[in-house]
Amino acid sequence: MNEELETLQAFGITMPTPAYIFGAILFSIIGYVAYRYGKKTSHQYVKWLGVALMLYPYVVPETWLMYLVGVALCAACYYYRDR
């Protein structure tokens, strides 16, 4: 097991931290809820912000950046919920 981790690290692949995994799951769930809400109420901004919340953790490599973008997208969903 240790040898396999060392081999992956030699190729530049590192395992995500528990904080990253928790954040990815949390923001994906919030994104799904926002998507369903936007679809049900015909709020296009909220629907597409929900899609962005579900998908952006796949392209953001740093934990702190993932939380920063996630909070910003959640704030945008909150702002556009009644518009």
Side-chain angles (χ1 to χ4, degrees), residues 14-25 60-64 66-67:
T14 57
M15 300 301 288
T17 63
Y20 186 89
I21 294 170
F22 174 76
I25 292 169
V60 178
E62 298 291 328
T63 303
W64 67 271
M66 183 188 63
Y67 279 97

Side-chain angles (χ1 to χ4, degrees), residues 2 6 8-10 17 22 26-27 30 34 39-40 44-46 48 50 65-67 69 77 79 83:
N2 233 359
E6 290 174 5
L8 288 174
Q9 288 175 347
T17 63
F22 174 76
L26 175 70
F27 289 122
I30 294 171
K39 189 174 177 182
K40 181 180 178 183
Q44 293 298 314
Y45 285 126
V46 176
W48 289 109
L65 186 59
M66 183 188 63
Y67 279 97
V69 172
C77 284
Y79 178 77
R83 295 185 188 258

Side-chain angles (χ1 to χ4, degrees), residues 21-83:
I21 294 170
F22 174 76
I25 292 169
L26 175 70
F27 289 122
S28 293
I29 291 170
I30 294 171
Y32 178 72
V33 171
Y35 172 78
R36 296 285 298 174
Y37 174 78
K39 189 174 177 182
K40 181 180 178 183
T41 59
S42 299
H43 287 99
Q44 293 298 314
Y45 285 126
V46 176
K47 182 173 83 171
W48 289 109
L49 285 168
V51 170
L53 271 166
M54 286 188 282
L55 298 178
Y56 86 94
Y58 292 106
V59 296
V60 178
E62 298 291 328
T63 303
W64 67 271
L65 186 59
M66 183 188 63
Y67 279 97
L68 183 69
V69 172
V71 168
L73 288 172
C74 287
C77 284
Y78 183 78
Y79 178 77
Y80 285 115
R81 77 185 187 282
D82 292 330
R83 295 185 188 258

